[in-house]
């Protein structure tokens, strides 16, 4: 999706109620006193743009902007490396990763995720599945159902996702050494044998993907109890 049909505006820079999607995310994390530092990984061409937004919206000195990579895994790895180098991140410190395109994350969910990481070592936000889930086999003519997966065994992964700093570093290091590409941080941690807990998420914590999602986000913002 893009603004006005133009591909030049990444979705995290689109506005919801006059405020960029990314800024909504940053405000939520900055509202949590335990969050000591925030690193935003973006394309090199967008670094100055993000820094300007941080200044424009008065987001303070906790936010740093770093160069990301071509894919999520590389971007997070770059930010994690910078975080450790600049803060001396202790192995037991809690590190969370969040999608910039999920602007309606709330401070309470962030707090619960921090608590879960502190208790279990690693955790993600997940939304229980409400639809019946089918496992399929792809064919030249579509797909054929091979099994029905019990809904109680399924959650839809959201973010934040996180772990103690040392565990997250190990998961990324092992993935890089084996040239493994995961779909999210949890997949890297699962592969490394790290137990990952699930924190209940919310339907409001959706990822801006389609044009109608901006209107939906604005509805939720104007109707907090919806």
């Amino acid at each position: 999706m893009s603004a006005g049909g133009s591909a030049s505006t990444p979705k995290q820079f689109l506005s919801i109620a006059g405020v960029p999607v990314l800024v909504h995310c940053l405000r939520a994390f900055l509202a949590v006193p335990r969050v000591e530092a925030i690193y935003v990984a973006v394309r090199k061409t967008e670094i100055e743009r993000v820094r300007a937004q941080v200044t424009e919206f008065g987001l303070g000195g906790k936010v740093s902007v770093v160069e990301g990579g071509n894919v999520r895994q590389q971007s997070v790895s770059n930010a994690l490396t910078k975080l450790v180098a600049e803060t001396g991140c202790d192995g037991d410190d809690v590190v969370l990763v969040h999608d910039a395109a999920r602007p309606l994350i709330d401070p309470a969910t962030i707090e619960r995720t921090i608590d879960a990481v502190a208790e279990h070592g690693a955790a993600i936000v997940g939304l229980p599945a409400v639809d019946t889930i089918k496992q399929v086999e792809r064919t030249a003519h579509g797909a054929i159902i091979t099994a029905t997966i019990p809904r109680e065994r399924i959650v839809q992964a959201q973010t934040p996702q996180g772990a103690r700093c040392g565990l997250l570093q190990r998961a990324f290091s092992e993935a890089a050494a084996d040239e493994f590409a995961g779909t999210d941080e949890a997949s890297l941690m699962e592969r490394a044998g790290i137990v990952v807990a699930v924190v209940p998420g919310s339907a409001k914590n959706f990822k801006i993907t389609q044009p109608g999602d901006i209107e939906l986000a604005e509805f939720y913002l104007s109707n907090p109890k919806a």
Side-chain angles (χ1 to χ4, degrees), residues 14-208:
L14 299 179
S15 292
I16 298 174
V19 177
V21 167
L22 175 60
V23 172
H24 283 284
C25 295
L26 295 176
R27 284 176 170 173
F29 279 86
L30 289 169
V32 178
R34 287 187 288 176
V35 172
E36 298 179 2
I38 299 175
Y39 283 75
V40 184
V42 299
R43 292 185 180 90
K44 186 175 183 179
T45 55
E46 301 288 359
I47 290 177
E48 292 307 317
R49 182 180 187 176
V50 173
R51 285 176 176 163
Q53 287 188 349
V54 169
T55 300
E56 178 186 355
F57 288 91
L59 299 178
K62 288 186 177 181
V63 181
S64 299
V65 184
V66 303
E67 184 176 346
N70 293 323
V71 295
R72 167 174 171 160
Q73 188 168 321
Q74 187 58 56
S75 293
V76 175
S77 180
N78 288 0
L80 182 60
T81 298
K82 195 77 169 178
L83 167 67
V84 172
E86 293 187 350
T87 69
C89 188
D90 183 81
D92 286 336
D93 286 339
V94 175
V95 178
L96 302 182
V97 180
H98 186 65
D99 289 327
R102 294 184 188 271
L104 302 186
I105 184 61
D106 60 283
T109 301
I110 297 170
E111 291 273 17
R112 291 197 301 272
T113 309
I114 293 172
D115 289 340
V117 171
E119 179 179 355
H120 301 285
I124 71 166
V125 175
L127 187 66
V130 294
D131 296 318
T132 299
I133 306 298
K134 301 292 186 180
Q135 180 176 309
V136 301
E137 178 181 331
R138 302 293 178 183
T139 71
H141 303 288
I144 297 174
I145 294 173
T146 58
T148 298
I149 304 173
R151 282 178 294 184
E152 61 270 18
R153 298 183 60 188
I154 298 292
V155 296
Q156 297 170 273
Q158 296 183 335
T159 65
Q161 300 190 2
R164 293 188 181 277
C165 189
L167 293 177
L168 197 59
Q169 285 181 288
R170 175 162 70 84
F172 272 87
S173 177
E174 291 180 6
D178 297 335
E179 297 184 347
F180 172 78
T183 53
D184 61 2
E185 292 68 50
S187 63
L188 272 58
M189 292 188 284
E190 294 160 34
R191 182 177 180 275
I194 298 167
V195 175
V196 182
V198 177
V199 174
S202 164
K204 294 182 181 181
N205 186 29
F206 66 92
K207 191 173 185 178
I208 300 294

